[in-house]
Amino acid sequence: MDAAVFLTLILCLLNGGNDLLDYLDTEQYWQIKNVPVTLQAMTAELQPPKQQDVSQLIPELEAADAPARDEAGRKIRKAGASALEPLRAASRSGRLELSRRAGRIIEEIHGDLKPVEVRRLMAIRALGELGKKDALPILQPFLDLKEPFVADYARTAVGLIEAKPVVRPRPLELIRNERWLLPGNCFAVGQLTPREGKPVSVAKGIELIRIGRGGDRNDMINRATRQIVVMAEEIGNVRVESATFGTFEGEEKAPVLVVFGRVQCDAEGFRGLARRHKLPMRQVQGVDVFEPSRGAAILIPSDDQVIVIGAMGDQGLPVERTIEAIKSNKGGLAEATSMKKLIEKVDTALPLWVVGEVTETYRRVPVVEAFDTFSLFGRRDGDALALTLEAKGHDPEKAKAAAEALARYAEKGIKEINPIVTVAPILSAAVDLLGTVKVSSAGDTLTATATLKASPAGLLSIPLLLEDIPREGAPER
């Protein structure tokens, strides 16, 4: 798995299509699989697998003969999804070796099923995009299935065929309450709710990349698509419903960030992937905690929640405190009077909102030192996000000076980035953003507005941009 693509996709899921599969073009995906996108071919892809009875093979996992155990394991694994329930029963049997071997095969089957699950979702989507009414009876059985994403994809496909808009349901109550899981000593708190996803063209993002001599744009599109396919077939589809975040000063007065992600994913699949890639892991109060580096931790307590904790400097992470907040469904923020008042002043139904208090540490930063509190919120304007920042201080003269300085920074940024745009067209999004910045002050309050028009597909092209821009002193390809 390419780390740059993975990190960029996280940005995309927060800013564009909020499903991982939104970044797979239907035609390109099935072209990779050498399957034509036709009603007949997609119908064949949706045929249910044959059920196999493995009950007689389960006891063989305890056989004294190692080859017999291995052969039984291979046959059970080959049975796929139909073997999962008997294996789960075996894993709860209390017999150590049987439980261990059953658990290992469950993990292997989960990995085997990911490509199958992706194919099914992509076939359902393809039927919708074909727009043929003959597909409606084929899609009907999938509308009530409880498996992740299947019913949603089927409803969307039916909506496309019938030309009726379909809105994905969202866990709004859970999203609203997530902020109260944050620590009480946060000096900044916010939430981002991505727009409901729709397929995003990777090809459009790659249009923003300058191709060197000998480069092939179609090859870049295929490479990007294949990387997403590999990722999806390792972890399955992932949907990001919201990201709720808070930051506070840790032991060294350096910031610590806690992000609660409201998601839909296969938590067991993620755990298996982390184990296969030998990611450092420990269990804390029954929750798997993955630690990819000293200053970061990832918690996956369930299929609908992922927590990321990061810290600057050599300071501890609030892992135990975060887990206690999950289990009690309560952090300390509800008792933080001043922060709670700031939250109550903003429309938390907006797709983006952030509120904060300026700490003594951050008063040393120019522009920031003029203010006591700030709020940032964003409203959807088509595919763009209209941003408004309000910062309140205590000195009108300082607020005015800060507004003038912020306007100068925006102008300076445009001048510095503009020459690079000819080499890296994707940076034109930054120039566009800075070009929309408007700053004013009234009394002790600064107000700044801007419009973010960054394309999710454009973000997705960043890793390929890094690969294909000629390095200094290197010949163009």
Side-chain angles (χ1 to χ4, degrees):
M1 185 188 299
D2 188 300
V5 173
F6 180 77
L7 292 173
T8 306
L9 271 167
I10 297 301
L11 291 175
C12 293
L13 289 169
L14 290 170
N15 188 51
N18 64 331
D19 269 25
L20 175 57
L21 295 190
D22 287 340
Y23 296 88
L24 275 181
D25 178 83
T26 306
E27 289 283 349
Q28 289 169 352
Y29 172 81
W30 288 112
Q31 187 176 6
I32 289 172
K33 299 300 180 183
N34 295 314
V35 176
V37 182
T38 64
L39 181 65
Q40 184 179 9
M42 295 301 100
T43 302
E45 289 288 337
L46 294 174
Q47 293 303 306
K50 292 181 180 178
Q51 294 295 305
Q52 298 183 50
D53 183 4
V54 298
S55 57
Q56 293 183 347
L57 291 169
I58 296 292
E60 291 297 309
L61 295 176
E62 291 183 293
D65 181 50
R69 291 197 305 270
D70 293 343
E71 180 63 19
R74 279 192 292 272
K75 289 180 179 177
I76 293 170
R77 179 177 177 179
K78 191 175 179 181
S82 56
L84 287 175
E85 281 308 314
L87 283 168
R88 289 188 184 110
S91 71
R92 298 189 293 266
S93 66
R95 301 201 293 274
L96 185 61
E97 286 303 312
L98 178 61
S99 177
R100 182 180 64 81
R101 291 180 185 124
R104 188 188 68 243
I105 299 171
I106 289 171
E107 187 175 302
E108 290 170 344
I109 291 175
H110 269 289
D112 296 340
L113 289 176
K114 287 292 169 278
V116 177
E117 293 166 3
V118 170
R119 284 181 81 106
R120 180 163 64 166
L121 293 175
M122 293 301 290
I124 291 171
R125 182 208 284 174
L127 286 177
E129 291 176 359
L130 284 171
K132 296 183 178 180
K133 292 191 179 294
D134 290 349
L136 291 174
I138 299 163
L139 292 166
Q140 188 64 38
F142 297 96
L143 293 172
D144 298 317
L145 290 187
K146 302 300 182 186
E147 294 161 55
F149 307 108
V150 174
D152 276 356
Y153 272 59
R155 281 192 291 269
T156 300
V158 169
L160 282 172
I161 295 168
E162 296 181 340
K164 296 177 181 177
V166 176
V167 178
R168 290 175 181 167
R170 284 195 162 176
L172 295 178
E173 193 64 29
L174 290 172
I175 290 172
R176 279 195 291 267
N177 290 335
E178 201 114 57
R179 74 195 77 154
W180 306 122
L181 299 178
L182 290 166
N185 57 338
C186 288
F187 64 79
V189 173
Q191 188 170 74
L192 173 62
T193 306
R195 63 187 174 193
E196 184 179 313
K198 55 185 177 182
V200 175
S201 172
V202 174
K204 284 187 179 179
I206 291 175
E207 286 174 4
L208 300 173
I209 298 178
R210 183 178 73 106
I211 307 296
R213 285 196 304 271
D216 186 327
R217 196 175 297 276
N218 287 331
D219 177 62
M220 294 178 71
I221 293 169
N222 288 334
R223 280 191 288 135
T225 302
R226 287 178 185 276
Q227 285 182 314
I228 302 167
V229 170
V230 168
M231 189 183 307
E233 291 184 345
E234 277 203 276
I235 61 176
N237 192 32
V238 178
R239 179 174 296 167
V240 177
E241 302 284 15
S242 67
T244 304
F245 47 90
T247 186
F248 60 91
E249 291 184 352
E251 302 158 1
E252 301 177 353
K253 294 296 181 183
V256 178
L257 176 69
V258 181
V259 182
F260 286 89
R262 181 60 51 182
V263 301
Q264 290 187 49
C265 69
D266 177 7
E268 182 54 44
F270 268 100
R271 295 183 195 110
L273 177 67
R275 285 190 284 268
R276 288 195 298 279
H277 286 264
K278 296 183 169 38
L279 195 66
M281 183 194 81
R282 61 190 174 106
Q283 273 220 335
V284 179
Q285 299 180 40
V287 174
D288 289 333
V289 179
F290 302 97
E291 297 171 320
S293 64
R294 184 177 180 84
I298 302 170
L299 289 65
I300 311 177
S302 65
D303 290 344
D304 57 9
Q305 194 174 50
V306 173
I307 299 113
V308 178
I309 306 173
M312 294 181 66
D314 190 17
Q315 55 188 342
L317 300 177
V319 171
E320 288 81 3
R321 188 175 14 152
T322 302
I323 292 173
E324 287 168 6
I326 298 166
K327 295 199 170 201
S328 64
N329 199 33
K330 184 181 179 183
L333 193 63
E335 277 74 49
T337 307
S338 60
M339 186 60 70
K340 193 174 179 182
K341 285 181 180 178
L342 285 177
I343 294 172
E344 288 171 349
K345 290 179 182 178
V346 299
D347 182 359
T348 55
L350 289 170
L352 171 66
W353 60 267
V354 186
V355 297
E357 300 170 319
V358 179
T359 66
E360 290 305 314
T361 303
Y362 290 93
R363 284 192 191 284
R364 303 169 196 163
V365 179
V367 178
V368 176
E369 60 91 21
F371 304 102
D372 301 315
T373 63
F374 67 88
S375 62
L376 170 69
F377 49 93
R379 290 185 171 87
R380 297 280 179 212
D381 183 8
D383 287 340
L385 195 63
L387 304 171
T388 302
L389 169 68
E390 290 184 355
K392 293 184 179 294
H394 47 276
D395 186 325
E397 288 303 315
K398 285 186 176 181
K400 181 180 178 182
E404 292 169 351
L406 188 57
R408 287 196 302 272
Y409 290 151
E411 291 174 5
K412 182 181 178 183
I414 292 172
K415 290 177 181 177
E416 291 182 350
I417 298 172
N418 247 333
I420 312 172
V421 171
T422 55
V423 178
I426 192 172
L427 294 179
S428 61
V431 174
D432 290 343
L433 172 65
L434 292 172
T436 65
V437 171
K438 294 180 181 178
V439 191
S440 62
S441 66
D444 58 7
T445 301
L446 174 148
T447 302
T449 60
T451 302
L452 177 64
K453 298 178 182 177
S455 158
L459 285 172
L460 189 58
S461 67
I462 290 173
L464 293 172
L465 172 70
L466 298 175
E467 289 180 20
D468 285 78
I469 287 181
R471 304 300 193 266
E472 188 176 343
E476 269 196 1
R477 288 182 290 160

